[in-house]
């Protein structure tokens, strides 16, 4: 384990990976600048746990909260425009996913929302209510320009084939929407910042967060283990004492188990077996993913990996939603190489 360090809080960086982030009003692109900013924030907040979420029409955990800056930088390289199956920009999904990632940690909770601000969320107010209730400060970073830029549609080699058009066939111009971002930051007691460069933005975020009344928490750099053996040990000693007492008294317990004739078929038993088996067989990918999420919350990484694997196998062809969670489970199991392969394959597969 690494030495005990003073951790000042926890940050989730939510990065917009919708198609509009491919716009090039900031060179080389909005998303490339978001990557640089993410790495700069990791450098500025070495005394924080940091996690990364990618979002568009849905949000997915890209990197669980960690103090490993190399892991954060590695997973940041997998971010690309249009990498997620559901397109659009839903801030509510990003906020809820961030709240879930931060739920198990104490201390200051901060979310940094990096986006061009074009939201299509109908549940933003409800998500902000939840953020305020859980004292989540949401700092918003606007990437782009108010004048806007066309959205390039590229091939697998990065060559521009055409520009995105709406349903009426008109070329879409993506503009920075600062009003929504100011609303989100103001509602949660944080601040909005228009992006001018990675280092400047990261320093400004650090300066602003340092001005908040932070609750100090202590933790380990790599892991935080607590001794919890006292109660199981006390129970084991009690059971041992009972066993010794029974042996001394000579007490004997007998348990009669009914015997069934061989070769007999019991319809009730068969129905009970089917009742238990059918729900498992009928479980769809979403249900399996929810079971994986439950196991993940209990830190049972192998079981979470098993459920996510089954969900990915049952998902329709081209549906990459569950692979991100699958890669996250592998990362928690410290199989970094395979986790990286899954993230890269998912990003390359696109929507």
């Amino acid at each position: 384990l690494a030495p005990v360090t003073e951790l000042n809080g926890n940050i989730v960086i939510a990065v917009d990976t919708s198609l509009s982030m491919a716009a090039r009003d900031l060179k080389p692109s909005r998303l490339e600048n978001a990557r640089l900013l993410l790495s700069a924030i990791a450098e500025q907040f070495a005394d924080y746990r940091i996690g990364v979420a990618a979002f568009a029409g849905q949000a997915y955990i890209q990197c669980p909260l960690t103090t490993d800056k190399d892991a954060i930088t590695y997973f940041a390289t997998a971010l690309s425009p249009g990498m997620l199956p559901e397109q659009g920009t839903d801030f509510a999904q990003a906020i809820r996913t961030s709240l879930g990632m931060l739920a198990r940690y104490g201390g200051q909770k901060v979310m940094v929302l990096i986006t061009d601000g074009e939201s299509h969320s109908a549940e933003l107010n409800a998500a902000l209510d939840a953020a305020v209730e859980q004292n989540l400060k949401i700092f918003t970073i606007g990437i782009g320009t108010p004048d806007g830029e066309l959205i390039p549609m590229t091939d697998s080699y990065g060559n521009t084939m055409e520009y995105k058009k709406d349903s009426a066939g008109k070329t879409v111009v993506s503009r920075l929407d600062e009003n929504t971002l100011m609303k989100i930051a103001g509602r949660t007691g944080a601040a909005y910042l228009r992006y001018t460069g990675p280092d400047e933005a990261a320093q400004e975020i650090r300066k602003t967060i340092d001005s908040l009344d932070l609750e100090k928490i202590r933790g380990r750099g790599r892991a935080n283990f607590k001794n919890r053996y006292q109660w199981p040990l006390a129970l084991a000693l009690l059971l041992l004492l009972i066993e010794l007492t029974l042996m001394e008294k000579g007490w004997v317990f007998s348990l009669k188990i009914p015997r069934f004739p061989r070769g007999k078929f019991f319809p009730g038993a068969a129905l009970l077996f089917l009742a238990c088996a059918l729900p498992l067989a009928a479980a769809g990918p979403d249900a399996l993913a929810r079971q994986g999420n439950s196991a993940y919350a209990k830190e049972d990484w192998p079981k979470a990996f098993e459920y996510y694997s089954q969900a990915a196998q049952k998902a329709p062809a081209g549906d990459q939603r569950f692979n991100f969670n699958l890669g996250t489970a592998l990362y928690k199991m410290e199989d970094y190489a395979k986790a990286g392969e899954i993230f890269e394959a998912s990003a390359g597969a696109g929507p």
Side-chain angles (χ1 to χ4, degrees):
L1 294 179
V4 175
T5 57
E6 186 87 2
L7 293 179
N8 287 320
N10 312 281
I11 297 179
V12 171
I13 306 171
V15 182
D16 186 350
T17 59
S18 62
L19 289 173
S20 63
M21 290 294 284
R24 295 166 182 163
D25 44 1
L26 295 178
K27 304 301 181 185
S29 72
R30 294 176 182 175
L31 192 59
E32 288 292 341
N33 279 274
R35 286 180 182 173
L36 295 174
L37 176 56
L38 198 159
S39 297
I41 292 174
E43 291 291 336
Q44 283 287 328
F45 288 87
D47 54 337
Y48 276 65
R49 295 186 190 91
I50 300 177
V52 181
F55 75 95
Q58 288 284 339
Y60 298 89
I61 299 172
Q62 188 76 356
C63 177
L65 272 85
T66 179
T67 56
D68 187 345
K69 291 190 295 183
D70 292 336
I72 296 166
T73 302
Y74 173 79
F75 285 108
T77 60
L79 299 172
S80 62
M83 64 181 286
L84 300 180
E86 298 86 354
Q87 282 308 299
T89 305
D90 194 326
F91 292 158
Q93 290 290 334
I95 293 171
R96 290 196 182 96
T97 297
S98 298
L99 285 170
M101 294 172 68
L102 293 164
R104 57 177 292 211
Y105 297 101
Q108 180 69 31
K109 298 180 180 181
V110 175
M111 175 183 177
V112 178
L113 184 67
I114 304 175
T115 176
D116 54 22
E118 294 188 319
S119 175
H120 307 106
S121 174
E123 302 178 358
L124 180 56
N125 287 330
L128 287 175
D129 288 341
V132 171
E133 182 180 349
Q134 299 184 42
N135 197 28
L136 174 65
K137 308 295 184 184
I138 305 177
F139 290 81
T140 53
I141 311 296
I143 290 206
T145 61
D147 293 336
E149 183 59 84
L150 303 180
I151 302 173
M153 308 298 290
T154 60
D155 59 18
S156 58
Y157 298 100
N159 301 315
T160 301
M161 306 298 293
E162 59 178 343
Y163 291 95
K164 185 179 179 181
K165 295 179 174 58
D166 60 20
S167 57
K170 296 181 180 180
T171 303
V172 175
V173 177
S174 173
R175 295 181 173 85
L176 175 62
D177 178 7
E178 295 183 295
N179 291 331
T180 302
L181 299 182
M182 290 178 183
K183 170 188 172 182
I184 293 172
R187 179 80 178 276
T188 60
Y192 165 72
L193 177 67
R194 184 190 291 186
Y195 176 85
T196 56
D199 295 330
E200 296 86 346
Q203 291 169 9
E204 185 64 28
I205 295 170
R206 179 78 213 208
K207 179 181 176 182
T208 306
I209 290 179
D210 284 345
S211 68
L212 299 175
D213 182 18
L214 300 179
E215 174 190 351
K216 298 290 185 180
I217 60 173
R218 294 193 64 82
R220 292 184 180 270
R222 299 295 179 184
N224 184 19
F225 297 102
K226 294 182 180 179
N227 292 324
R228 303 182 185 274
Y229 62 85
Q230 292 93 340
W231 287 108
L233 179 59
L235 179 60
L237 290 174
L238 178 61
L239 292 174
L240 178 61
L241 180 61
I242 293 172
E243 181 183 4
L244 292 175
T245 302
L246 294 179
M247 291 175 63
E248 182 179 353
K249 298 292 184 181
W251 293 348
V252 177
F253 293 90
S254 62
L255 178 64
K256 293 184 178 181
I257 302 175
R259 298 179 178 272
F260 298 105
R262 293 184 179 179
K264 293 291 185 179
F265 177 72
F266 292 90
L271 289 173
L272 178 62
F273 173 78
L274 289 174
C276 295
L278 282 176
L280 295 176
D286 291 321
L288 290 167
R290 285 193 293 271
Q291 291 177 293
N293 292 340
S294 177
Y296 188 95
K298 297 175 183 176
E299 299 186 3
D300 188 348
W301 318 127
K303 181 62 69 175
F305 174 79
E306 178 182 344
Y307 282 126
Y308 291 147
S309 297
Q310 295 177 26
Q313 291 173 2
K314 291 191 174 185
D319 189 343
Q320 300 294 321
R321 291 180 300 162
F322 309 110
N323 287 337
F324 290 97
N325 290 353
L326 188 63
T328 300
L330 285 169
Y331 175 81
K332 297 299 291 186
M333 293 164 65
E334 299 185 356
D335 190 346
Y336 303 122
K338 194 168 182 180
E341 291 176 4
I342 288 179
F343 282 124
E344 290 173 4
S346 300

